[in-house]
Amino acid sequence: MTASGTLETPAVSRPLPSVAAFTKRLRGNLMKDDPATAAYDRIMRRLGISIGIAGVIVGCVELPEVAEQGRHAPAWWSVTALVLAFGWYPVISVVSALSGPRATRFVCGCAAVSFLGALASIPFGVELHSVDGTTVWPYRVTALAVTAAVLAWPTRLTVAYLLTAATSAAAATVYTVPALTTQHVAENFLRSAGLAALFVWCGTAVTGAAARVDRESAIASRRAAAQAAAQARDREHARFAALIHDAVLSTLLEASRAGTASDVLQRQAERTLEQLDEYRGEERDPDLLDARSAVLFLRAAVHEINPSVRFATRTWPGFDDLRMPVHSASTIAAALTEAVRNSLRHAAVPGREVRRTVTATVSAGSIRIAFTDDGAGFDLAAVTADRLGISMSILGRMRQLAGGSAFVESQPGEGTTVTLVWGGDGSR
């Protein structure tokens, strides 16, 4: 901790420039994401990582069946079909971990289309009715491909893809497997389509819920901003009314009563003119929040999540000089509310109530927000890269904010402290 009370992170070794540049490019889309879509982006990334890992696992499980059915087909077809069916899933996992939802949707779409290519290649590599089994192996990958389509496309297009993929898989079984009855074909289609429909429903419900959370968060943020701005305008109107009443009108009244020149009246008139000049010369910007408005904005955002969180304010000399842009206050509020949500989700301790406190320290031109809880805590070194609530929704947001920074301190069993710092001049 420095003399000014600002936390500093310990020095760490930096990666090689080429690796750092490559990682920065991969993460470019994520850094540009709108904070208003944080929950949706987080769900998309986690689902992408899960689907990628699942694809790798399913591919490994299917290898013996691929080899068995490949005995009656050219080697090139087995390799080609395997790559088309499973080759995109490692890419999905990596892209979801390192890049943004746009890139995730793109590679998931490629995986879905590639699976149709694997089904379409069957007549070119497998002889008619040459598979000794109940289904050809790509049939069992249909649900996985449809799940990738859920992340790639809107619901209507995904349903169309589901019907296309299930029909193609059933037709491939008819082509490759001998002695199939109409009942068996119908059962294969319904089994494939039904399982895939379950994944479509689950994926659509999860992404839809995340989108609703983002919409509600954006509404709450706008409501808090409007409330803070209205309070700032009311205070400004009251201040101006007091100036008119206490200075201007009283001076005019004294002038009407005095009748002759007076030193007291002259000094009062000069002071009134100085006050009017000061008021006229002050910077007035409706998009700037003063110290009190900024604190009210942040308090409203926190209490929108959980009214029981204690919010305390400390001020240092010169705190009245703070002028915070509304967009900066919105970014800090988003990071702060994410810290509160993380605490509510993960910091619970059986048998006792967890205390949560936000302390806002305002000084000349800067503000420092510290959120603390005495809950379960966690090991920072054990936090994986996909824990986006910390890495992106808190630390990433503040790094992208001009003049902003953030620090997280926690130990298992010792609670957690999240510190957000903002200085209008960019210094910390």
Side-chain angles (χ1 to χ4, degrees):
M1 181 177 292
T2 63
S4 62
T6 301
L7 294 173
E8 295 182 347
T9 54
V12 296
S13 59
R14 295 183 179 275
L16 293 176
S18 58
V19 176
F22 176 71
T23 304
K24 184 177 181 180
R25 286 195 299 271
L26 283 178
R27 298 174 72 92
N29 287 336
L30 182 61
M31 295 302 182
K32 296 177 182 177
D33 285 343
D34 188 345
T37 62
Y40 178 80
D41 294 348
R42 184 161 59 251
I43 288 297
M44 282 287 294
R45 287 164 59 86
R46 290 180 176 176
L47 287 177
I49 293 172
S50 301
I51 291 173
I53 295 173
V56 173
I57 295 174
V58 172
C60 294
V61 171
E62 289 293 329
L63 279 177
E65 189 69 15
V66 173
E68 175 65 24
Q69 295 185 6
R71 292 188 306 162
H72 306 288
W76 67 263
W77 177 82
S78 296
V79 174
T80 301
L82 193 65
V83 171
L84 289 174
F86 299 107
W88 282 98
Y89 291 99
V91 180
I92 293 175
S93 184
V94 173
V95 169
S96 298
L98 296 180
S99 191
R102 182 176 302 177
T104 301
R105 287 193 290 268
F106 175 77
V107 294
C108 285
C110 291
V113 173
S114 182
F115 173 72
L116 294 181
L119 292 176
S121 70
I122 291 177
F124 300 96
V126 182
E127 295 182 1
L128 182 66
H129 297 167
S130 62
V131 173
D132 184 13
T134 57
T135 59
V136 65
W137 66 263
Y139 168 87
R140 291 185 290 274
V141 190
T142 306
L144 185 64
V146 172
T147 306
V150 172
L151 300 191
W153 302 314
T155 303
R156 290 184 179 180
L157 187 56
T158 302
V159 172
Y161 177 85
L162 182 157
L163 297 176
T164 302
T167 302
S168 301
T173 301
V174 171
Y175 177 83
T176 56
V177 177
L180 277 180
T181 64
T182 303
Q183 179 181 353
H184 288 156
V185 174
E187 289 176 354
N188 285 340
F189 172 80
L190 293 176
R191 187 183 303 115
S192 175
L195 181 60
L198 175 62
F199 283 99
V200 169
W201 183 85
C202 292
T204 303
V206 170
T207 54
R212 286 192 295 273
V213 168
D214 285 328
R215 287 195 297 270
E216 293 299 325
S217 297
I219 292 172
S221 180
R222 289 194 296 270
R223 186 183 299 127
Q227 180 183 5
Q231 290 173 343
R233 287 193 297 270
D234 291 342
R235 286 194 303 274
E236 200 61 35
H237 293 161
R239 178 188 172 193
F240 184 74
L243 175 62
I244 295 297
H245 179 271
D246 297 341
V248 177
L249 293 182
S250 62
T251 301
L252 294 175
L253 180 62
E254 290 296 326
S256 66
R257 289 175 177 176
T260 59
S262 166
D263 292 340
V264 174
L265 179 60
Q266 182 178 355
R267 287 194 297 271
Q268 183 175 345
E270 291 174 352
R271 177 55 184 158
T272 299
L273 291 175
E274 290 175 359
Q275 289 177 314
L276 289 173
D277 287 338
E278 290 174 359
Y279 187 87
R280 183 180 58 185
E282 288 181 358
E283 181 180 1
R284 295 288 191 275
D285 189 339
D287 292 329
L288 292 177
L289 302 179
D290 59 15
R292 187 171 185 275
S293 298
V295 170
L296 288 174
F297 181 95
L298 297 173
R299 179 187 286 117
V302 171
H303 286 170
E304 190 79 22
I305 303 300
N306 192 321
S308 66
V309 177
R310 180 174 176 268
F311 198 107
T313 304
R314 298 174 180 173
T315 57
W316 289 88
F319 73 94
D320 283 334
D321 294 336
L322 179 70
R323 293 294 182 269
M324 176 182 289
V326 172
H327 74 86
S328 298
S330 299
T331 301
I332 296 173
L336 178 59
T337 54
E338 181 64 25
V340 174
R341 290 190 190 97
N342 279 348
S343 176
L344 294 173
R345 285 194 295 260
H346 305 298
V349 177
R352 71 173 177 87
E353 182 181 359
V354 175
R355 293 190 298 270
R356 298 176 176 88
T357 302
V358 176
T359 302
T361 303
V362 187
S363 57
S366 66
I367 188 169
R368 181 177 182 269
I369 309 295
F371 170 75
T372 61
D373 69 49
D374 60 353
F378 59 94
D379 183 4
L380 285 170
V383 176
T384 57
D386 64 330
R387 287 289 300 275
L388 303 179
I390 294 175
S391 63
M392 292 312 306
S393 297
I394 298 176
L395 301 178
R397 272 195 177 104
M398 294 302 295
R399 279 195 297 266
Q400 293 302 303
L401 176 63
S405 62
F407 315 95
V408 178
E409 299 174 287
S410 186
Q411 291 291 337
E414 298 182 7
T416 301
T417 298
V418 178
T419 304
L420 312 176
V421 181
W422 180 84
D425 60 356
S427 62
R428 264 86 82 198

